[in-house]
PDB file of all heavy atoms in Angstrom:
ATOM      1  N   THR A 450      -3.051   6.887  11.033  1.00  0.00           N
ATOM      2  CA  THR A 450      -3.701   5.599  11.282  1.00  0.00           C
ATOM      3  C   THR A 450      -4.849   5.809  12.269  1.00  0.00           C
ATOM      4  O   THR A 450      -4.780   6.617  13.160  1.00  0.00           O
ATOM      5  CB  THR A 450      -2.657   4.612  11.966  1.00  0.00           C
ATOM      6  OG1 THR A 450      -2.067   5.236  13.094  1.00  0.00           O
ATOM      7  CG2 THR A 450      -1.564   4.245  10.973  1.00  0.00           C
ATOM      8  N   PRO A 451      -5.970   5.059  12.033  1.00  0.00           N
ATOM      9  CA  PRO A 451      -6.173   4.206  10.880  1.00  0.00           C
ATOM     10  C   PRO A 451      -6.251   5.008   9.568  1.00  0.00           C
ATOM     11  O   PRO A 451      -6.396   6.213   9.623  1.00  0.00           O
ATOM     12  CB  PRO A 451      -7.518   3.506  11.198  1.00  0.00           C
ATOM     13  CG  PRO A 451      -8.213   4.473  12.109  1.00  0.00           C
ATOM     14  CD  PRO A 451      -7.114   5.095  12.909  1.00  0.00           C
ATOM     15  N   LEU A 452      -6.226   4.311   8.488  1.00  0.00           N
ATOM     16  CA  LEU A 452      -6.201   4.909   7.186  1.00  0.00           C
ATOM     17  C   LEU A 452      -7.421   5.826   6.959  1.00  0.00           C
ATOM     18  O   LEU A 452      -8.511   5.449   7.225  1.00  0.00           O
ATOM     19  CB  LEU A 452      -6.176   3.828   6.092  1.00  0.00           C
ATOM     20  CG  LEU A 452      -5.856   4.262   4.632  1.00  0.00           C
ATOM     21  CD1 LEU A 452      -4.553   4.959   4.542  1.00  0.00           C
ATOM     22  CD2 LEU A 452      -5.841   2.968   3.789  1.00  0.00           C
ATOM     23  N   GLN A 453      -7.183   7.058   6.465  1.00  0.00           N
ATOM     24  CA  GLN A 453      -8.223   8.024   6.190  1.00  0.00           C
ATOM     25  C   GLN A 453      -8.100   8.532   4.790  1.00  0.00           C
ATOM     26  O   GLN A 453      -6.970   8.623   4.228  1.00  0.00           O
ATOM     27  CB  GLN A 453      -8.216   9.162   7.140  1.00  0.00           C
ATOM     28  CG  GLN A 453      -8.445   8.816   8.606  1.00  0.00           C
ATOM     29  CD  GLN A 453      -8.433  10.041   9.532  1.00  0.00           C
ATOM     30  OE1 GLN A 453      -8.889  11.101   9.178  1.00  0.00           O
ATOM     31  NE2 GLN A 453      -7.886   9.848  10.733  1.00  0.00           N
ATOM     32  N   PHE A 454      -9.202   8.858   4.137  1.00  0.00           N
ATOM     33  CA  PHE A 454      -9.173   9.279   2.716  1.00  0.00           C
ATOM     34  C   PHE A 454      -9.700  10.687   2.558  1.00  0.00           C
ATOM     35  O   PHE A 454     -10.490  11.185   3.361  1.00  0.00           O
ATOM     36  CB  PHE A 454      -9.991   8.356   1.864  1.00  0.00           C
ATOM     37  CG  PHE A 454      -9.488   6.924   1.886  1.00  0.00           C
ATOM     38  CD1 PHE A 454     -10.104   5.935   2.619  1.00  0.00           C
ATOM     39  CD2 PHE A 454      -8.351   6.587   1.130  1.00  0.00           C
ATOM     40  CE1 PHE A 454      -9.631   4.652   2.630  1.00  0.00           C
ATOM     41  CE2 PHE A 454      -7.878   5.282   1.156  1.00  0.00           C
ATOM     42  CZ  PHE A 454      -8.467   4.338   1.895  1.00  0.00           C
ATOM     43  N   GLU A 455      -9.238  11.381   1.538  1.00  0.00           N
ATOM     44  CA  GLU A 455      -9.687  12.733   1.178  1.00  0.00           C
ATOM     45  C   GLU A 455     -11.209  12.654   0.871  1.00  0.00           C
ATOM     46  O   GLU A 455     -11.643  11.798   0.136  1.00  0.00           O
ATOM     47  CB  GLU A 455      -8.908  13.295   0.017  1.00  0.00           C
ATOM     48  CG  GLU A 455      -7.490  13.692   0.327  1.00  0.00           C
ATOM     49  CD  GLU A 455      -7.383  14.952   1.149  1.00  0.00           C
ATOM     50  OE1 GLU A 455      -8.435  15.623   1.351  1.00  0.00           O
ATOM     51  OE2 GLU A 455      -6.302  15.224   1.655  1.00  0.00           O
ATOM     52  N   LYS A 456     -11.891  13.677   1.336  1.00  0.00           N
ATOM     53  CA  LYS A 456     -13.345  13.749   1.090  1.00  0.00           C
ATOM     54  C   LYS A 456     -13.665  14.654  -0.117  1.00  0.00           C
ATOM     55  O   LYS A 456     -12.914  15.601  -0.356  1.00  0.00           O
ATOM     56  CB  LYS A 456     -14.083  14.229   2.342  1.00  0.00           C
ATOM     57  CG  LYS A 456     -13.899  13.316   3.552  1.00  0.00           C
ATOM     58  CD  LYS A 456     -14.458  13.925   4.774  1.00  0.00           C
ATOM     59  CE  LYS A 456     -14.250  12.970   5.994  1.00  0.00           C
ATOM     60  NZ  LYS A 456     -14.750  13.582   7.251  1.00  0.00           N
ATOM     61  N   GLY A 457     -14.649  14.313  -0.865  1.00  0.00           N
ATOM     62  CA  GLY A 457     -15.094  15.152  -1.949  1.00  0.00           C
ATOM     63  C   GLY A 457     -14.281  15.002  -3.189  1.00  0.00           C
ATOM     64  O   GLY A 457     -14.315  15.844  -4.063  1.00  0.00           O
ATOM     65  N   VAL A 458     -13.506  13.947  -3.328  1.00  0.00           N
ATOM     66  CA  VAL A 458     -12.715  13.696  -4.593  1.00  0.00           C
ATOM     67  C   VAL A 458     -13.148  12.339  -5.132  1.00  0.00           C
ATOM     68  O   VAL A 458     -13.512  11.414  -4.386  1.00  0.00           O
ATOM     69  CB  VAL A 458     -11.206  13.798  -4.325  1.00  0.00           C
ATOM     70  CG1 VAL A 458     -10.832  15.183  -3.946  1.00  0.00           C
ATOM     71  CG2 VAL A 458     -10.764  12.762  -3.329  1.00  0.00           C
ATOM     72  N   ILE A 459     -13.064  12.213  -6.474  1.00  0.00           N
ATOM     73  CA  ILE A 459     -13.513  10.990  -7.083  1.00  0.00           C
ATOM     74  C   ILE A 459     -12.559   9.837  -6.792  1.00  0.00           C
ATOM     75  O   ILE A 459     -12.967   8.760  -6.406  1.00  0.00           O
ATOM     76  CB  ILE A 459     -13.639  11.182  -8.648  1.00  0.00           C
ATOM     77  CG1 ILE A 459     -14.667  12.276  -8.920  1.00  0.00           C
ATOM     78  CG2 ILE A 459     -14.013   9.874  -9.302  1.00  0.00           C
ATOM     79  CD1 ILE A 459     -16.085  11.969  -8.514  1.00  0.00           C
ATOM     80  N   ASN A 460     -11.253  10.041  -7.061  1.00  0.00           N
ATOM     81  CA  ASN A 460     -10.266   8.968  -6.859  1.00  0.00           C
ATOM     82  C   ASN A 460      -9.963   8.769  -5.392  1.00  0.00           C
ATOM     83  O   ASN A 460      -9.992   9.711  -4.616  1.00  0.00           O
ATOM     84  CB  ASN A 460      -9.026   9.289  -7.630  1.00  0.00           C
ATOM     85  CG  ASN A 460      -9.157   9.010  -9.134  1.00  0.00           C
ATOM     86  OD1 ASN A 460     -10.264   8.927  -9.650  1.00  0.00           O
ATOM     87  ND2 ASN A 460      -8.006   8.910  -9.835  1.00  0.00           N
ATOM     88  N   THR A 461      -9.662   7.497  -5.057  1.00  0.00           N
ATOM     89  CA  THR A 461      -9.226   7.242  -3.678  1.00  0.00           C
ATOM     90  C   THR A 461      -7.836   7.725  -3.438  1.00  0.00           C
ATOM     91  O   THR A 461      -6.895   7.349  -4.127  1.00  0.00           O
ATOM     92  CB  THR A 461      -9.301   5.717  -3.429  1.00  0.00           C
ATOM     93  OG1 THR A 461     -10.655   5.262  -3.667  1.00  0.00           O
ATOM     94  CG2 THR A 461      -8.885   5.391  -1.983  1.00  0.00           C
ATOM     95  N   THR A 462      -7.708   8.599  -2.453  1.00  0.00           N
ATOM     96  CA  THR A 462      -6.366   9.122  -2.099  1.00  0.00           C
ATOM     97  C   THR A 462      -6.286   9.312  -0.604  1.00  0.00           C
ATOM     98  O   THR A 462      -7.295   9.725   0.018  1.00  0.00           O
ATOM     99  CB  THR A 462      -6.001  10.412  -2.862  1.00  0.00           C
ATOM    100  OG1 THR A 462      -4.668  10.721  -2.619  1.00  0.00           O
ATOM    101  CG2 THR A 462      -6.912  11.537  -2.475  1.00  0.00           C
ATOM    102  N   GLY A 463      -5.198   9.070  -0.028  1.00  0.00           N
ATOM    103  CA  GLY A 463      -5.011   9.221   1.414  1.00  0.00           C
ATOM    104  C   GLY A 463      -5.091  10.641   1.886  1.00  0.00           C
ATOM    105  O   GLY A 463      -4.594  11.561   1.175  1.00  0.00           O
ATOM    106  N   LYS A 464      -5.689  10.873   3.000  1.00  0.00           N
ATOM    107  CA  LYS A 464      -5.750  12.206   3.615  1.00  0.00           C
ATOM    108  C   LYS A 464      -4.315  12.644   3.891  1.00  0.00           C
ATOM    109  O   LYS A 464      -3.577  12.013   4.609  1.00  0.00           O
ATOM    110  CB  LYS A 464      -6.584  12.216   4.868  1.00  0.00           C
ATOM    111  CG  LYS A 464      -6.817  13.575   5.463  1.00  0.00           C
ATOM    112  CD  LYS A 464      -7.737  13.499   6.691  1.00  0.00           C
ATOM    113  CE  LYS A 464      -7.958  14.870   7.264  1.00  0.00           C
ATOM    114  NZ  LYS A 464      -8.881  14.831   8.439  1.00  0.00           N
ATOM    115  N   ASN A 465      -3.903  13.775   3.320  1.00  0.00           N
ATOM    116  CA  ASN A 465      -2.560  14.319   3.460  1.00  0.00           C
ATOM    117  C   ASN A 465      -1.494  13.364   2.845  1.00  0.00           C
ATOM    118  O   ASN A 465      -0.307  13.428   3.196  1.00  0.00           O
ATOM    119  CB  ASN A 465      -2.217  14.598   4.872  1.00  0.00           C
ATOM    120  CG  ASN A 465      -3.153  15.649   5.526  1.00  0.00           C
ATOM    121  OD1 ASN A 465      -3.545  16.576   4.801  1.00  0.00           O
ATOM    122  ND2 ASN A 465      -3.535  15.489   6.765  1.00  0.00           N
ATOM    123  N   GLY A 466      -1.953  12.480   1.963  1.00  0.00           N
ATOM    124  CA  GLY A 466      -1.008  11.585   1.275  1.00  0.00           C
ATOM    125  C   GLY A 466      -0.846  10.251   2.002  1.00  0.00           C
ATOM    126  O   GLY A 466      -1.414   9.998   3.057  1.00  0.00           O
ATOM    127  N   PHE A 467      -0.004   9.380   1.405  1.00  0.00           N
ATOM    128  CA  PHE A 467       0.274   8.082   1.967  1.00  0.00           C
ATOM    129  C   PHE A 467       1.728   8.076   2.513  1.00  0.00           C
ATOM    130  O   PHE A 467       2.662   7.717   1.788  1.00  0.00           O
ATOM    131  CB  PHE A 467       0.109   6.947   0.956  1.00  0.00           C
ATOM    132  CG  PHE A 467      -1.295   6.710   0.521  1.00  0.00           C
ATOM    133  CD1 PHE A 467      -1.809   7.237  -0.646  1.00  0.00           C
ATOM    134  CD2 PHE A 467      -2.125   5.889   1.287  1.00  0.00           C
ATOM    135  CE1 PHE A 467      -3.070   6.990  -1.055  1.00  0.00           C
ATOM    136  CE2 PHE A 467      -3.399   5.640   0.854  1.00  0.00           C
ATOM    137  CZ  PHE A 467      -3.903   6.218  -0.351  1.00  0.00           C
ATOM    138  N   TRP A 468       1.937   8.571   3.727  1.00  0.00           N
ATOM    139  CA  TRP A 468       3.278   8.690   4.249  1.00  0.00           C
ATOM    140  C   TRP A 468       3.712   7.388   4.968  1.00  0.00           C
ATOM    141  O   TRP A 468       2.950   6.902   5.844  1.00  0.00           O
ATOM    142  CB  TRP A 468       3.375   9.851   5.249  1.00  0.00           C
ATOM    143  CG  TRP A 468       3.407  11.162   4.552  1.00  0.00           C
ATOM    144  CD1 TRP A 468       2.352  11.943   4.264  1.00  0.00           C
ATOM    145  CD2 TRP A 468       4.540  11.794   4.024  1.00  0.00           C
ATOM    146  NE1 TRP A 468       2.758  13.098   3.602  1.00  0.00           N
ATOM    147  CE2 TRP A 468       4.129  13.009   3.448  1.00  0.00           C
ATOM    148  CE3 TRP A 468       5.915  11.500   3.987  1.00  0.00           C
ATOM    149  CZ2 TRP A 468       5.045  13.938   2.826  1.00  0.00           C
ATOM    150  CZ3 TRP A 468       6.794  12.422   3.363  1.00  0.00           C
ATOM    151  CH2 TRP A 468       6.346  13.601   2.834  1.00  0.00           C
ATOM    152  N   LEU A 469       4.789   6.803   4.542  1.00  0.00           N
ATOM    153  CA  LEU A 469       5.285   5.569   5.125  1.00  0.00           C
ATOM    154  C   LEU A 469       6.840   5.631   5.163  1.00  0.00           C
ATOM    155  O   LEU A 469       7.426   6.451   4.489  1.00  0.00           O
ATOM    156  CB  LEU A 469       4.863   4.329   4.313  1.00  0.00           C
ATOM    157  CG  LEU A 469       3.347   4.068   4.359  1.00  0.00           C
ATOM    158  CD1 LEU A 469       2.992   3.016   3.281  1.00  0.00           C
ATOM    159  CD2 LEU A 469       2.884   3.570   5.704  1.00  0.00           C
ATOM    160  N   ALA A 470       7.461   4.717   5.937  1.00  0.00           N
ATOM    161  CA  ALA A 470       8.900   4.656   6.000  1.00  0.00           C
ATOM    162  C   ALA A 470       9.374   3.355   5.341  1.00  0.00           C
ATOM    163  O   ALA A 470       8.743   2.261   5.533  1.00  0.00           O
ATOM    164  CB  ALA A 470       9.328   4.687   7.464  1.00  0.00           C
ATOM    165  N   ILE A 471      10.441   3.456   4.604  1.00  0.00           N
ATOM    166  CA  ILE A 471      10.993   2.302   3.887  1.00  0.00           C
ATOM    167  C   ILE A 471      12.344   1.979   4.565  1.00  0.00           C
ATOM    168  O   ILE A 471      13.209   2.839   4.739  1.00  0.00           O
ATOM    169  CB  ILE A 471      11.259   2.611   2.383  1.00  0.00           C
ATOM    170  CG1 ILE A 471       9.989   3.112   1.707  1.00  0.00           C
ATOM    171  CG2 ILE A 471      11.813   1.436   1.702  1.00  0.00           C
ATOM    172  CD1 ILE A 471       8.890   2.055   1.682  1.00  0.00           C
TER     173      ILE A 471
END
Side-chain angles (χ1 to χ4, degrees):
T450 55
L452 192 56
Q453 297 180 36
F454 297 103
E455 288 288 349
K456 298 173 181 178
V458 296
I459 299 296
N460 284 15
T461 300
T462 187
K464 186 176 180 180
N465 299 325
F467 291 98
W468 286 93
L469 293 167
I471 304 297

